[in-house]
């Protein structure tokens, strides 16, 4: 239990502990910390008025700077507020909490929530970049570091992880998730939940996770945020649900219902997904919070006639807490009197929220020690981890002629591009309480890396989304005398994330023109990309010898990129999402089904374009290294198994180069024929390994029913037949073997 160190709340602590100890001597059961959360919630529920119950289901927004609104104090005192978002920092949290804990009738503490997506103060790479690490154990560590910092600011709940599968790069929120693949997505989702919550989220330094956005939000039509989705049941079960299922299995305390209309029923009133799948099939026993005003939005969707109808539909569907809109609070009392909803339905949701609060330990430990704000943020360990995370998330897309790594003793380097000098853009979207001044830039990184005799010239070139002829001239002039040109290109941070859908995937503004000018100098060009989504990189791929994808790499991104460019580190990340050649190919993802006429460049009447190849520019799972690796010796422990059996897949990976490096070995299957058609490839295992020069390792994977089976309209099954097994270093190519599954 935390110790209170501020005088204004010391008294509170005393009063509270007196009450708590009184409970042991026959006071209300809910105050007895030895009783189970379920028993305590049931006891407390029995003491509450309808108004107090609805209070627990209400979450209200504070100010983005961390303050609460004046009316929150009164509401907390009257037991009419259950939770806030954005309110943070010990001063604010303890003051508001005191109203709830010490001055309300039943003393139910508030839950303080915030979007801690990829770090709280120490900002890590965006989640899409962390997925490019293919190292869930590292994402678990960064989530744990984020939780510790968030907790220090008085928070006990983060709206993360965001686990939406996204196959459309137009959607700005693709940056917040783990990309397009359910298997990688599930591994990342579970890791992040473990990181935020630990074994017991009541522990100091841990926060409750909120898995979002349930369900199918990533399939927003045309990549336009908040747009409707239409997804078949088999796609939901096989593609969109697995990360949620993995997060729920990892013990996620809460889930957020999404904004999107899913097959005609908005997610925030979707009983079949919330009560049916989440609670029914998966036995999720936490609570569900709506997304921001998504209960109110049921009106705009055309699902609800009026506010009461919206409140009833959401509550009946199993949305327990309402974020920001106030329809439960305003409309449910009359609906109860009119017998339009039962008290049992209301109590069910209140009990879930109370149970979570008991499990979170906030009845015993409601306040935050203000000292933590100075001791727990930006610790050396967190910063070190941020650097490691940035390093591991870099993906080398092209390296013609081994241009990279550069020699630190190069005579003159030109660093070009406004993103090379920008701290704020390194943080990406949703950077919580991250501060631009904490971030280092690529330019600083380069300056720190080169030899003392190297001349570094910088020109910001053109703004990300604009620029004049003069900007281009200046940049070209700066670059002309250099031996090598490093260009930072991409999108500014606010071009990704929520409400940042794009109708173009090209480099914004005049960046391509800038690159054309720089190419004309005849000097070698290295492009470092800062962006939150796959971009159209066809021109770059054809014209620039080296391209490094750096995403938004967080506070230590600048130095991580520079260390990699100059060869102190070796890139080993892999794309967690397909990079199309052109927007017209979208949606484009590796795990698509086949067609009756698979594309053939020489056959007109096949599934192809007349004006573009069908293949992506860079496939899912792709990424280069300064080392070169070779796979060999793929073998299966058995060529034939029964549907309930398992097979071991082993393969050798060797580092053929004289440089240590990482390779991500990927295992895919193809179920050749099923009662429903199956994807051409599905990821079912991966391992990121570090190999010393010349080192060879044997890796083993296991394929059993969980990997070989799939959901079809009749349920989940491993269907007898032929399975192709691929082991590769991207979703294309690799070694192949055949497995036969025979009926028992
Ligand atoms: C977003 C959520 C977020 C919530 C609270 C919404 O607009 O969709 O992802 O958690 O706001 O900030």
């Amino acid at each position: 239990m935390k110790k209170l160190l501020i005088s204004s709340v010391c008294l509170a602590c005393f009063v509270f502990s007196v009450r708590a100890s009184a409970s042991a001597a026959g006071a209300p059961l809910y105050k007895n910390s030895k009783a189970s959360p379920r028993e305590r919630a049931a006891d407390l529920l029995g003491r509450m008025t309808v108004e107090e119950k609805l209070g627990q289901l209400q979450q209200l927004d504070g100010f983005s700077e961390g303050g609460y609104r004046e009316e929150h104090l009164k509401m907390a005192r009257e037991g009419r507020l259950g939770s806030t978002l954005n309110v943070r920092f010990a001063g604010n949290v303890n003051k508001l909490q005191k109203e709830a804990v010490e001055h309300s009738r039943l003393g139910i503490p508030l839950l303080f929530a915030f979007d801690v997506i990829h770090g709280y103060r120490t900002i890590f790479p965006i989640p899409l970049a962390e997925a490019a690490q293919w190292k869930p154990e590292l994402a678990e560590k960064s989530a744990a570091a984020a939780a510790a910092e968030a907790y220090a600011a008085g928070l006990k709940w983060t709206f993360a992880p965001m686990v939406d599968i996204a196959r459309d790069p137009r959607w700005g929120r693709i940056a917040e998730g783990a990309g397009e693949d359910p298997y990688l997505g599930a591994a990342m989702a579970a890791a992040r939940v473990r990181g935020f919550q630990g074994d017991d989220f009541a522990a100091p330094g841990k926060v409750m996770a909120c898995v979002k956005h349930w369900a199918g939000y990533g399939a927003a039509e045309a990549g336009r945020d908040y747009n409707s989705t239409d997804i078949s049941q088999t796609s939901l079960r096989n593609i969109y649900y697995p990360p949620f299922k993995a997060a729920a299995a990892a013990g996620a305390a809460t889930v957020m219902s999404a904004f999107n209309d899913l097959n005609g029923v908005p997610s925030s009133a979707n009983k079949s997904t919330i009560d049916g799948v989440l609670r029914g099939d998966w036995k999720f026993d936490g609570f569900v919070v709506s997304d921001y005003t998504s209960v109110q939005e049921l009106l705009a969707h055309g699902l609800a006639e009026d506010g009461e109808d919206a409140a009833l539909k959401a509550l009946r569907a199993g949305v327990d807490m309402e974020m920001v809109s106030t329809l439960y609070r305003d409309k449910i009392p009359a609906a109860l009197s009119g017998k339009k909803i039962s008290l049992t339905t209301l109590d069910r949701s209140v009990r879930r929220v109370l149970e979570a609060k008991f499990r979170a330990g906030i009845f015993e430990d409601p306040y935050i020690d203000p000292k933590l704000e100075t001791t727990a943020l930006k610790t050396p360990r967190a910063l070190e981890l941020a650097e490691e995370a940035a390093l591991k998330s870099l993906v080398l897309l092209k390296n013609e002629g081994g241009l990279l790594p550069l020699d630190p003793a190069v005579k003159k380097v030109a660093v070009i591009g406004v993103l090379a000098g920008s701290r704020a853009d390194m943080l990406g979207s949703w950077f919580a309480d991250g501060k631009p001044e904490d971030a280092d830039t690529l330019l600083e990184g380069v300056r720190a890396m080169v030899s003392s005799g190297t001349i570094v010239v910088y020109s910001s070139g053109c703004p990300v989304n604009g620029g004049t002829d003069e900007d281009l001239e200046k940049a070209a002039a700066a670059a002309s005398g250099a031996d090598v040109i490093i260009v930072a290109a991409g999108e500014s941070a606010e071009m990704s994330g929520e409400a940042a859908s794009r109708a173009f995937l090209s480099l914004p503004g005049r960046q391509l023109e800038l690159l054309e000018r720089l190419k004309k100098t005849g000097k070698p060009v290295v492009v470092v990309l800062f962006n939150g989504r796959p971009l159209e990189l066809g021109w770059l791929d054809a014209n620039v010898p080296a391209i490094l994808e750096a995403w938004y790499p967080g506070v230590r991104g600048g130095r991580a990129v520079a260390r990699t460019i100059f060869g102190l580190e070796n890139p080993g990340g892999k794309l967690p999402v397909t990079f199309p050649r052109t927007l017209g190919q979208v949606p484009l993802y590796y795990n698509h089904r086949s067609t009756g006429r698979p594309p053939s460049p020489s056959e007109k009447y096949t599934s192809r374009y007349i004006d573009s190849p069908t293949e992506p520019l860079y496939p899912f799972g792709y990424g280069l290294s300064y080392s070169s690796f070779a796979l060999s010796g793929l073998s299966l422990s058995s060529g034939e198994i029964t549907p309930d059996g398992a097979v071991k897949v082993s393969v050798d990976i060797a580092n053929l180069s004289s440089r240590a490096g990482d390779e991500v070995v990927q295992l895919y299957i193809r179920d050749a024929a099923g009662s429903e058609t199956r994807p051409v490839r599905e990821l079912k295992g991966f391992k990121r390994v570090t190999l010393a020069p010349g080192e060879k390792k044997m890796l083993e994977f296991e394929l059993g029913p969980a990997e070989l089976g799939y959901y079809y309209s009749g349920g989940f099954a491993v269907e007898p037949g032929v399975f192709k097994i691929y082991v590769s270093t991207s979703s294309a190519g690799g070694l192949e073997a055949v497995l036969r599954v025979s009926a028992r």
Side-chain angles (χ1 to χ4, degrees):
M1 183 158 155
K2 294 188 300 285
K3 294 275 175 300
L4 278 173
L5 293 176
I6 49 169
S7 53
S8 64
V9 288
C10 263
L11 179 62
C13 175
F14 174 71
V15 172
F16 194 79
S17 54
V18 167
R19 281 194 204 156
S21 60
S23 74
L29 179 64
Y30 80 89
K31 293 194 174 174
N32 180 355
S33 63
K34 299 217 168 55
S36 72
R38 180 141 297 205
E39 290 167 329
R40 295 176 81 182
D43 177 69
L44 180 51
L45 197 56
R47 299 168 191 275
M48 295 168 78
T49 64
V50 164
E51 198 178 42
E52 285 164 340
K53 288 176 183 176
L54 289 166
Q56 288 308 305
L57 306 190
Q58 182 69 64
Q59 181 181 65
L60 290 178
D61 198 357
F63 293 105
S64 53
E65 297 77 24
Y68 50 77
R69 292 168 201 273
E70 216 34 49
E71 69 264 26
H72 292 168
L73 291 170
K74 184 164 182 282
M75 292 179 74
R77 207 177 309 133
E78 291 171 353
R80 292 190 296 115
L81 183 62
S83 172
T84 61
L85 70 152
N86 291 326
V87 176
R88 58 198 189 281
F89 311 126
N92 300 328
V93 163
N94 287 340
K95 194 141 181 259
L96 187 55
Q97 189 70 300
K98 185 174 173 178
E99 295 301 322
V101 169
E102 295 172 45
H103 300 145
S104 75
R105 195 175 73 86
L106 295 163
I108 307 173
L110 302 169
L111 261 177
F112 294 97
F114 192 44
D115 288 278
V116 180
I117 308 296
H118 53 112
Y120 173 78
R121 175 70 194 259
T122 305
I123 300 304
F124 291 85
I126 55 167
L128 188 64
E130 287 200 336
Q133 299 163 348
W134 294 61
K135 216 171 161 45
E137 61 278 21
L138 189 54
E140 181 174 339
K141 286 187 191 163
S142 71
E149 291 192 345
Y151 174 84
L155 300 161
K156 200 60 196 172
W157 188 17
T158 174
F159 297 132
M162 186 281 214
V163 307
D164 295 315
I165 294 295
R167 292 170 152 184
D168 192 329
R170 289 172 293 186
W171 193 50
R173 304 200 78 168
I174 198 169
E176 289 176 55
E180 74 189 31
D181 183 66
Y183 186 88
L184 178 61
M188 295 301 292
R192 290 191 167 120
V193 169
R194 287 193 301 269
F196 288 130
Q197 298 191 166
D199 295 334
D200 174 9
F201 54 77
K206 293 294 169 196
V207 297
M208 288 168 29
C210 183
V211 189
K212 67 189 190 184
H213 306 81
W214 181 247
Y217 181 39
E221 277 177 10
R224 191 155 47 80
D225 210 358
Y226 315 117
N227 205 3
S228 303
T229 60
D230 209 306
I231 315 173
S232 72
Q233 282 305 317
T234 48
S235 287
L236 281 172
R237 297 252 176 207
N238 292 306
I239 306 291
Y240 292 92
Y241 287 171
F244 288 92
K245 195 173 179 195
T254 67
V255 169
M256 185 183 293
S257 67
F259 287 126
N260 61 300
D261 177 322
L262 174 62
N263 301 335
V265 183
S267 291
S268 288
N270 200 315
K271 198 169 170 56
S272 78
T273 53
I274 299 173
D275 262 359
V277 177
L278 195 59
R279 296 204 167 101
D281 297 353
W282 301 348
K283 312 291 172 232
F284 168 73
D285 67 351
F287 74 84
V288 174
V289 60
S290 78
D291 203 343
Y292 207 103
T293 63
S294 67
V295 175
Q296 174 79 44
E297 289 168 29
L298 297 177
L299 275 89
H301 274 295
L303 188 85
E305 298 231 320
D306 53 27
E308 182 187 80
D309 196 20
L312 289 174
K313 285 186 165 139
L315 192 58
R316 282 194 199 120
V319 175
D320 303 308
M321 185 180 276
E322 183 178 4
M323 189 193 295
V324 177
S325 53
T326 58
L327 296 178
Y328 284 10
R329 177 188 85 186
D330 300 342
K331 305 294 179 188
I332 295 292
L336 280 167
S337 315
K339 304 227 174 323
K340 292 185 183 160
I341 193 163
S342 69
L343 202 54
T344 320
T345 306
L346 172 63
D347 284 357
R348 188 180 68 164
S349 288
V350 181
R351 182 185 54 72
R352 290 185 191 127
V353 171
L354 293 176
E355 260 187 63
K357 288 188 172 185
F358 285 117
R359 288 175 64 203
I362 55 172
F363 277 82
E364 282 64 50
D365 202 4
Y367 299 111
I368 188 68
D369 176 352
K371 265 214 314 228
L372 287 175
E373 272 170 2
T374 44
T375 57
L377 305 185
K378 282 203 302 166
T379 61
R381 175 69 197 119
L383 290 168
E384 212 176 278
L385 195 57
E387 187 165 340
E388 188 187 351
L391 285 167
K392 296 282 187 219
S393 64
L394 302 177
V395 184
L396 183 62
L397 298 176
K398 187 176 176 197
N399 194 19
E400 198 174 84
L403 174 60
L404 292 178
L406 301 177
D407 180 359
V410 56
K411 282 210 191 76
K412 190 168 178 189
V413 185
V415 179
I416 309 289
V418 68
L419 291 169
S422 166
R423 297 184 197 288
D425 289 300
M426 297 302 100
L427 306 181
S429 62
W430 287 121
F431 52 85
D433 271 320
K435 306 266 179 278
E437 63 264 29
D438 295 344
D440 47 34
T441 64
L442 174 58
L443 179 59
E444 286 167 339
V446 170
R447 286 201 169 119
M449 278 305 309
V450 290
S451 71
S452 53
T454 302
I455 299 168
V456 179
V457 289
Y458 174 63
S459 164
S460 59
C462 47
V464 169
N465 219 344
T468 60
D469 290 348
E470 205 189 331
D471 293 333
L472 304 186
E473 294 303 329
K474 270 196 203 148
S480 60
D483 299 297
V484 60
I485 308 171
I486 301 173
V487 188
E491 300 174 316
S492 49
E494 76 284 351
M495 295 184 76
S496 281
E498 186 174 353
S501 294
R502 289 189 65 196
F504 298 91
L505 296 178
S506 45
L507 283 175
R510 302 186 69 180
Q511 295 183 77
L512 206 53
E513 279 179 69
L514 173 65
L515 283 162
E516 282 164 356
R517 292 295 303 269
L518 296 174
K519 181 184 152 100
K520 282 197 191 124
T521 63
K523 307 291 176 181
V525 174
V526 175
V527 172
V528 178
L529 291 167
F530 295 105
N531 51 302
R533 56 159 61 79
L535 293 171
E536 263 181 17
L537 301 174
W539 186 90
L540 269 77
D541 186 68
N543 291 283
V544 167
I547 310 172
L548 183 69
E549 176 58 79
W551 318 101
Y552 297 116
V555 287
R556 287 288 166 99
R559 75 183 71 178
V561 172
R563 286 173 69 80
T564 305
I565 290 179
F566 287 97
L568 256 70
E569 306 284 344
N570 191 350
K574 299 275 180 172
L575 295 178
V577 62
T578 302
F579 274 44
R581 284 168 196 277
T582 171
L583 176 60
Q585 293 178 300
V586 166
L588 186 67
Y589 43 90
Y590 85 95
N591 50 356
H592 61 86
R593 296 189 175 104
S594 183
T595 79
R597 296 187 178 193
S600 159
S602 55
E603 291 285 335
K604 178 169 166 65
Y605 294 99
T606 61
S607 180
R608 64 183 191 124
Y609 298 104
I610 55 169
D611 51 4
S612 164
T614 48
E615 302 79 37
L617 183 63
Y618 303 123
F620 172 83
Y622 168 84
L624 305 172
S625 161
Y626 299 153
S627 311
S628 52
F629 300 95
L631 287 166
S632 62
L634 171 61
S635 75
L636 308 184
S637 58
S638 165
E640 187 163 347
I641 57 169
T642 53
D644 56 356
V647 64
K648 282 211 161 54
V649 180
S650 55
V651 71
D652 292 325
I653 176 81
N655 181 351
L656 306 181
S657 71
S658 55
R659 184 183 274 273
D662 284 9
E663 182 54 285
V664 181
V665 179
Q666 303 160 38
L667 172 70
Y668 295 88
I669 64 163
R670 177 172 187 174
D671 183 350
S675 25
E676 288 180 16
T677 55
R678 307 298 306 130
V680 295
R681 273 197 189 204
E682 295 175 86
L683 182 72
K684 294 296 173 183
F686 61 88
K687 286 186 179 160
R688 180 169 179 155
V689 288
T690 303
L691 296 177
E695 189 183 352
K696 187 174 187 175
K697 270 188 189 160
M698 206 256 284
L699 301 180
E700 259 190 7
F701 300 89
E702 188 166 300
L703 291 172
E707 290 77 27
L708 297 171
Y710 74 103
Y711 290 94
Y712 68 112
S713 48
F716 182 86
V718 179
E719 295 189 319
V722 166
F723 286 74
K724 288 200 177 147
I725 313 293
Y726 304 93
V727 177
S728 49
T729 54
S730 87
S731 58
L735 306 177
E736 268 185 61
V738 171
L739 173 71
R740 176 168 288 281
V741 175
S742 315
R744 270 169 266 247

